[in-house]
């Protein structure tokens, strides 16, 4: 008899992240893979035959836990230089906003990123990406936003696509031309917004290098009206939008994002009730970024209880960037999401699997379910809550991407 599946995992507990049980858990489970997709998931006792007849390769999980491959749905992992000097300044009392207004912050990374070659950007991001991959991350979002001129933004987006070609990870890109006003447009912000709408967005759309359009709606960045203009242009070009909203103040960015059917509104420390209601009505995902909250020593916290009550999907991400979140671990975000934001460990894990997939508009991953991509992570843990419990360390024992083992038991 010819085997029906390419491989079959047995002796494994499954956190499917479906909603029938906590973590969608199936104890003593089995998972079959065919052509890079999950072909069968269930209790081992219900397998439709003997494992060695069902699959070409039978993999013993050794009683470990398996989850969907992790998804980091908000990163700025591509950049030139670093900003540890700003960290020192903040510890001496300067605020993130003060540093930004004095010409540091995002625009200082813009100078270093413009000066870097595409190959240098890829090399730097690869170094930072490797710890994420070792932790079971199989999909990552990468933003531009440190180029702020068309050529440099396209360089970043090309470099992001290259990461996905070189490394065992799916890369989703976001064009973030509206991250900050570049130095050469200081005092001429409306002209920069006009440039984004008239030239940058159409060229980015033509290039096919961006999967979505992002912006930073904030006192130190772009106004609500400017963000609306950028979103109108992006939407007319057929690009989905998302927004950095309510990070440092409540400008109503999340409600605006929801009005444009945004995939997500991200940060949200200062989100008010209207924003929560608008996001719930639109199905816009709340992407929470505890690494920035921690690193900037913010005292305001996103309104998690209100988001939960309203049924807003909650995702968690690293926000890896040189200014507000020099974070190289998505697992650490699970811990911080629980401790700082009071998520449950199950919500935290859903935030980097099921809900993160939704934040990226990806219906083909984020769960262990038949028909979805076989992107899987296997863990040396007692139970799934342990992923949010340990601080530091890496219990990831194996990673499968698109049906292929990319990290195996040592
Ligand atoms: N908010 C953030 O936390 C990052 N971008 C944004 O809009 C910070 C990026 C940086 O400081 O380089």
């Amino acid at each position: 008899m010819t085997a029906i599946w390419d491989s079959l995992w047995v002796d494994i507990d499954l956190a499917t992240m479906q909603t029938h049980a906590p973590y969608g858990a199936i104890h003593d489970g089995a998972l079959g893979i065919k052509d890079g997709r999950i072909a069968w998931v269930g209790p081992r006792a219900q397998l439709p035959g003997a494992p060695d007849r069902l699959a070409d390769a039978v993999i013993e999980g050794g009683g470990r836990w398996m989850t969907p491959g992790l998804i980091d749905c908000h990163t700025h992992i591509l950049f030139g230089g670093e900003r540890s000097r700003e960290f020192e300044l903040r510890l001496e009392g300067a605020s993130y906003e003060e540093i930004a207004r004095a010409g540091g912050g995002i625009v200082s990374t813009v100078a270093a990123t413009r000066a870097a070659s595409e190959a240098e950007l890829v090399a730097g991001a690869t170094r930072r990406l490797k710890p994420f991959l070792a932790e079971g991350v199989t999909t990552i979002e990468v933003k531009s936003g440190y180029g702020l001129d068309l050529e440099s933004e396209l360089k970043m987006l090309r470099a992001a696509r290259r990461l996905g070609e070189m490394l065992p990870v799916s890369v989703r890109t976001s064009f973030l031309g509206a991250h900050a006003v570049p130095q050469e447009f200081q005092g001429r912000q409306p002209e920069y917004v006009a440039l984004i709408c008239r030239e940058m967005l159409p060229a980015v759309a033509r290039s096919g290098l961006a999967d979505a359009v992002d912006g930073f709606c904030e006192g130190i960045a772009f106004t609500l009206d400017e963000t609306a203009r950028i979103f109108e242009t992006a939407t007319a070009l057929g690009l989905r939008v998302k927004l950095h909203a309510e990070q440092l103040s409540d400008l109503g960015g999340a409600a605006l994002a929801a009005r444009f059917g945004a995939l997500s509104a991200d940060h949200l420390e200062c989100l008010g009730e209207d924003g929560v209601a608008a996001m719930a009505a639109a199905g816009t995902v709340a992407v929470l970024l505890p690494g920035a909250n921690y690193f900037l020593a913010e005292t305001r916290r996103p309104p998690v209880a209100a988001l939960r009550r309203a049924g807003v999907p909650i995702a968690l991400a690293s926000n890896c960037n040189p200014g507000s979140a020099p974070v190289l671990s998505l697992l650490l975000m699970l811990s911080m999401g629980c401790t700082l934001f009071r998520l449950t460990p199950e919500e935290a894990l859903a935030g980097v699997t099921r809900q993160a997939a939704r934040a990226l508009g990806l219906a083909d991953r984020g769960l262990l379910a038949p028909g979805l991509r076989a992107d899987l992570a296997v863990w040396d843990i007692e139970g799934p809550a342990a992923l949010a419990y340990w601080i530091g360390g890496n219990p990831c024992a194996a990673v499968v991407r698109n049906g292929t083992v990319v990290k195996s038991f040592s």
Side-chain angles (χ1 to χ4, degrees), residues 74 76 83 86 96 105-107 109 146 176 179 215-217 221 244 247 267 289 292 296 319 321-325:
H74 180 135
H76 309 251
R83 311 221 299 268
E86 278 181 19
Y96 181 78
I106 293 170
V107 294
T109 297
Y146 291 122
L176 181 54
H179 197 193
F216 187 18
C217 184
H244 292 64
Q247 180 181 6
H267 284 286
L289 304 166
L296 300 182
N319 192 20
N321 75 68
S324 69

Side-chain angles (χ1 to χ4, degrees), residues 4-9 31-41 362-365 367-376 400-404:
I4 54 178
W5 302 322
D6 300 327
S7 57
L8 171 63
W9 285 78
L31 183 140
I33 298 173
K34 176 79 180 165
D35 297 332
R37 298 264 157 178
I38 299 171
W40 194 92
V41 183
L362 297 173
D364 65 349
R365 66 196 76 187
L367 296 172
L368 302 182
L372 298 203
R373 279 174 66 99
D375 287 354
L376 319 166
V400 176
R401 178 165 175 270
N402 223 4
T404 302

Side-chain angles (χ1 to χ4, degrees), residues 82-141:
E82 55 92 85
R83 311 221 299 268
S84 53
R85 176 64 194 136
E86 278 181 19
F87 178 45
E88 291 178 318
L89 290 173
R90 281 196 301 101
L91 291 171
E92 288 161 17
S95 74
Y96 181 78
E97 284 147 299
E98 283 162 0
I99 292 169
R101 289 191 197 283
I106 293 170
V107 294
S108 68
T109 297
V110 170
T113 303
R114 284 180 178 176
S117 68
E118 194 173 313
E120 286 165 341
L121 290 178
V122 170
T126 299
R127 257 193 327 273
R128 291 184 283 274
L129 197 41
K130 286 205 167 147
F132 287 94
L133 304 188
E135 278 187 346
V137 171
T138 50
T139 300
I140 192 163
E141 186 254 15

